[in-house]
Amino acid sequence: MAHQTRIAVPITAADPPLVEQVRAARAAGADLVELRADLIGDISAIEALLQHPPELPVIVTVRSADEGGAWCGTDAERIALLERLGLLRPGFVDVEYTTWIRSANIQQKVGLVGEAGAQLGPASRPRNRLILSHHDTRATPATLADVFDRLEATPAEVLKTVFTARDATDALRVLAELRPRAMRRCWIALAMGEAGMCSRVLAAKYGAFLTFASLQRGRESAAGQPTIAELRDLYRWEQIGPGTAVYGVVGWPVAHSLGPAVHNAALAAAGIDGVYLPWPVGPSFEDLAAFMETVSALPDLGLAGLSVTVPHKEHALRWLDARGMPISDVARTCGAVNTLTLREGTWQGDNTDVWGVRASLPDACGVGRRADVLGAGGVARAVIIALGGLGYRVTVFNRNGARAQRLAQELRCTWRAWDQRHLGDGDILVNCTSVGMWPATAESPFPAEALRPGMLVLDTVYRPVETELVRAARAAGCRVVPGIEMFLHQAAAQFEQWHGTAAPLDVMREAARAAEGP
Ligand code: NAP
């Protein structure tokens, strides 16, 4: 085992019976459960559970409303309940710092059931460990040290602070503050929200006391908690340690990305000590720059490679350029970086989308052939460069004609009006628009009656894998390349750059299909 960080499963409802939930948590690999008395409501069920030692140590929490809980009684009732449950020796009691600091009287009452340090607690007292916690349900403040310092000045055995992350930079700042402190005391420091995933997974890398993971979707006690299955199977929790290399995808949003499924499966298959995370980074250039600066100030994070997706491909190129960092010719021609690799302290930018297109096409040579490209955005650019490199003569069709004209002039191909697309005579048709993408899956960018048997159709849209265009093309007797193949080949090229070894493409394909569902 690479680390000592525990997994705590929050229990937020009395149904199914608490004893069954604790058993299920243990079977799923949890080390602790947290009984959220404020959410469970049924206090007699909690007492019944604690009367017989449960299968796992328990944290008892009665979270106040102003720190994100559901307690609607008074504070005096809350502390009284905590005392009552604490006397049943759950193992841990959690109290908000703002409550605890309020009076010596509260500290004394809490001290009866939660040992706050070596100097406290005669042997006759219940041996629960005290967790003092702080929750910011709105934001991650610009300065975090004050909050951490305040908690650290207390004698509690475990210190816990939770913020709400706007984007991954906030979550990284929480990790940066945790790192030195986790060597001195037992700390839990997490960022809530979708952007906080790195803080939950990398808690293990930084030696936090625990991370939270729900038993199943819908049973989370805070936004952004992974399920325990995700934590253990997708992110390979057990193997994460101080030396684990970190990768991921930056974009806004990235929740839909197949990157974590595909890259983590590949890392596991190749036996590489690495983890690949989603990094939602706000949409502006400044957001990406702030993220990159924060990462650069955290060398022991071990961030070694990033996939870059919308809207940051152009931003990444600009950021590298401003620092004189190397950018490959293909990325420069594309005007977009989709791969960042850290080598000897310097980020290098590349674009593997072009390779992804080439590698997914069955015909390596396009000399003497024609290609019709629908769309004139970022992917169209990579597709036209790839097709041009293979010798195809390309015609671009785009809804916004001026954009098609500009792109055609720049990449030296021809363009035609969008409403002429059915008149194209390409041997290959490539959809580079977002038409047909989930959730508008019934739409197709091309009239089915204009599809010709034998033509090759590549739909770059890959969510769903079987788009309406792919379905219609198969029905019309076309040869078909679904967009997932381009995605997998560009991801495989990233993998090879980062790890210097062949990508397990079949494993990645399997992982993408499983993540996508039937
Ligand atoms: P983009 O730069 O925003 O370009 C979007 C393109 O779609 C533009 O040409 C736009 O036309 C066109 N479009 C959008 N809605 C349309 C509509 N209702 N009718 C006609 N045209 C429409 O996006 P991008 O980065 O190129 O990505 C495009 C798609 O590629 C994505 O949706 C994604 O599914 C796919 N993709 C695939 C991969 C892969 O590896 N397979 C990788 C990245 C992206 P206008 O210029 O007229 O607005």
Side-chain angles (χ1 to χ4, degrees):
M1 182 154 150
H3 62 82
Q4 296 295 320
T5 306
R6 299 151 184 80
I7 301 178
V9 163
I11 295 183
T12 56
D15 181 37
L18 298 181
V19 69
E20 284 178 25
Q21 293 190 59
V22 175
R23 191 165 299 144
R26 184 170 177 215
D31 304 292
L32 296 152
V33 293
E34 181 188 40
L35 294 181
R36 282 288 301 270
D38 56 306
L39 296 169
I40 293 170
D42 184 348
I43 304 305
S44 54
I46 298 176
E47 286 177 317
L49 176 82
L50 294 177
Q51 254 134 24
H52 308 282
E55 292 184 25
L56 289 174
V58 171
I59 304 170
V60 166
T61 302
V62 195
R63 181 72 65 234
S64 65
D66 54 1
E67 297 219 17
W71 180 254
C72 17
T74 64
D75 259 7
E77 289 165 342
R78 199 160 63 85
I79 298 300
L81 176 58
L82 197 77
E83 273 188 84
R84 207 168 103 201
L85 296 176
L87 287 170
L88 296 171
R89 281 195 177 206
F92 297 83
V93 291
D94 177 315
V95 183
E96 297 78 0
Y97 170 80
T98 49
T99 305
W100 184 83
I101 202 72
R102 210 173 294 149
S103 73
N105 183 32
I106 291 178
Q107 288 178 27
Q108 192 193 17
K109 286 183 171 172
V110 169
L112 288 173
V113 291
E115 297 207 17
Q119 75 275 28
L120 295 177
S124 58
R125 279 190 187 160
R127 290 179 180 274
N128 298 314
R129 298 164 78 182
L130 175 63
I131 303 176
L132 275 188
S133 59
H134 164 89
H135 305 82
D136 189 328
T137 56
R138 287 158 299 122
T140 306
T143 309
L144 296 178
D146 294 350
V147 175
F148 279 78
D149 286 347
R150 275 200 295 277
L151 283 164
E152 217 166 49
T154 71
E157 289 221 6
V158 183
L159 310 165
K160 175 188 176 194
T161 181
V162 181
F163 302 95
T164 301
R166 171 189 171 254
D167 77 357
T169 305
D170 281 344
L172 273 178
R173 293 195 297 112
V174 174
L175 280 175
E177 204 59 53
L178 164 72
R179 190 188 61 83
R181 296 174 192 264
M183 293 177 199
R184 305 193 288 262
R185 300 278 294 271
C186 293
W187 269 100
I188 304 163
L190 298 167
M192 290 191 286
E194 184 197 323
M197 187 59 83
C198 66
S199 70
R200 297 184 180 281
V201 175
L202 298 181
K205 185 177 167 93
Y206 283 162
F209 182 69
L210 62 76
T211 197
F212 291 95
S214 70
L215 212 41
Q216 61 192 73
R217 282 259 160 274
R219 292 277 175 163
E220 302 86 3
S221 59
Q225 260 169 23
T227 63
I228 191 165
E230 266 171 358
L231 196 63
R232 300 188 70 213
D233 302 340
L234 174 62
Y235 296 115
R236 296 189 299 144
W237 172 258
E238 272 77 17
Q239 63 81 42
I240 295 175
T244 300
V246 178
Y247 303 87
V249 51
V250 285
W252 187 264
V254 290
H256 65 286
S257 173
L258 288 176
V262 161
H263 279 282
N264 282 313
L267 287 165
I272 293 169
D273 183 11
V275 63
Y276 185 102
L277 293 160
W279 302 99
V281 171
S284 71
F285 171 75
E286 288 70 27
D287 289 327
L288 180 76
F291 175 77
M292 294 305 293
E293 304 307 336
T294 309
V295 157
S296 305
L298 258 178
D300 61 355
L301 176 67
L303 189 71
L306 288 168
S307 312
V308 185
T309 186
V310 179
H312 289 313
K313 292 185 183 184
E314 292 82 9
H315 297 156
L317 187 130
R318 188 176 145 197
W319 187 82
L320 291 168
D321 240 352
R323 278 152 194 80
M325 291 181 175
I327 298 166
S328 70
D329 290 346
V330 66
R332 225 176 247 297
T333 315
C334 287
V337 161
N338 86 328
T339 309
L340 287 165
T341 307
L342 189 68
R343 287 199 210 294
E344 292 163 11
T346 299
W347 285 101
Q348 302 183 359
D350 193 12
N351 191 310
T352 63
D353 282 338
V354 174
W355 168 253
V357 178
R358 276 191 200 191
S360 60
L361 291 178
D363 307 327
C365 179
V367 177
R369 294 182 178 173
R370 289 174 305 275
D372 292 336
V373 171
L374 307 177
V379 166
R381 182 177 277 271
V383 164
I384 295 167
I385 290 167
L387 293 172
L390 293 173
Y392 282 94
R393 280 185 289 122
V394 178
T395 304
V396 188
F397 300 82
N398 194 49
R399 186 178 57 177
N400 175 337
R403 199 177 178 192
Q405 186 177 17
R406 275 198 304 278
L407 189 65
Q409 273 168 357
E410 196 188 327
L411 298 181
R412 296 200 184 87
C413 55
T414 52
W415 72 279
R416 290 176 75 179
W418 178 245
D419 59 10
Q420 306 268 296
R421 63 196 184 285
H422 62 290
L423 301 175
D425 60 355
D427 302 289
I428 170 170
L429 174 78
V430 187
N431 174 37
C432 300
T433 74
S434 46
V435 179
M437 195 167 81
W438 189 90
T441 54
E443 292 175 12
S444 170
F446 196 76
E449 55 281 9
L451 291 162
R452 286 167 277 116
M455 78 193 286
L456 183 66
V457 175
L458 165 59
D459 191 349
T460 67
V461 173
Y462 61 87
R463 283 216 140 169
V465 172
E466 290 286 310
T467 59
E468 182 55 28
L469 175 61
V470 162
R471 200 197 54 71
R474 283 195 211 285
C478 304
R479 292 183 299 153
V480 171
V481 178
I484 194 73
E485 287 302 311
M486 174 187 159
F487 175 83
L488 288 168
H489 283 287
Q490 64 78 30
Q494 293 180 330
F495 187 93
E496 285 164 22
Q497 280 196 25
W498 295 335
H499 310 298
T501 182
L505 198 58
D506 288 346
V507 170
M508 295 166 89
R509 187 174 285 119
E510 184 60 31
R513 298 262 173 192
E516 176 69 20

